[in-house]
Amino acid sequence: MEQRSGTPMATRLGFKPGMRVWFHDMPQAVRDAIAPERAALEELGCATDGVQGVHLFTSRRDHLERELGALRGLLASNGFCWVSWPEQDEASDLARGTVADVAAAQGWEERDRCAFQGWSGVKLTPCTAPNAVKSTT
């Protein structure tokens, strides 16, 4: 993962010291760049109630649907979830549009984007209000 600035990767992704975080299937190179120990993050072994930051790595839509569905109820009110998928993996059925569709259908909205070391990612937060159907009258 490139360090294009002096800002640590954990900070660029929105992780703050003391945050309760969960990383799911994180590649070692990404772990090394985020450096949860140096960033003073409280890393959880699994997602639990009140988790503040999540970084989920997946290449399958069904896995994404299952994880986002479970995380929505566990995330702290000010929490977020990064979802990353491999950019050049022919076995993957995910792309940015697919991730956005799955997220929106489960009440998440996109806040930011990133790409690093062959992975694309979007930062999601729970929608604060359900999508209202606009009237045309």
Side-chain angles (χ1 to χ4, degrees):
M1 187 177 303
E2 291 180 54
Q3 284 295 114
R4 293 178 298 230
S5 69
T7 305
M9 183 56 65
T11 302
R12 288 178 32 209
L13 294 175
F15 296 111
K16 296 178 173 65
M19 281 183 90
R20 298 180 70 229
V21 300
W22 178 58
F23 303 123
H24 184 64
D25 290 340
M26 180 180 283
Q28 188 61 48
V30 178
R31 173 175 286 288
D32 293 344
I34 291 175
E37 302 80 22
R38 281 197 316 267
L41 303 175
E42 181 184 339
E43 188 172 354
L44 306 172
C46 62
T48 59
D49 192 38
V51 65
Q52 296 166 299
V54 172
H55 202 149
L56 169 67
F57 291 79
T58 186
S59 61
R60 296 184 338 267
R61 181 186 181 117
D62 62 333
H63 183 239
L64 176 63
E65 290 170 340
R66 188 172 51 255
E67 293 297 332
L68 284 182
L71 287 169
R72 185 101 164 67
L74 297 174
L75 202 65
S77 61
N78 62 344
F80 60 85
C81 176
W82 278 97
V83 173
S84 293
W85 64 93
E87 292 176 340
Q88 302 288 325
D89 185 349
E90 292 179 18
S92 177
D93 62 354
L94 291 179
R96 184 169 174 264
T98 308
V99 172
D101 290 346
V102 169
Q106 294 196 18
W108 297 84
E109 57 189 342
E110 185 179 323
R111 295 292 182 188
D112 202 357
R113 287 184 246 159
C114 70
F116 46 87
Q117 290 209 349
W119 291 87
S120 291
V122 294
K123 183 178 186 179
L124 304 172
T125 57
C127 294
T128 54
N131 292 338
V133 177
K134 295 184 179 182
S135 174
T136 57
T137 58

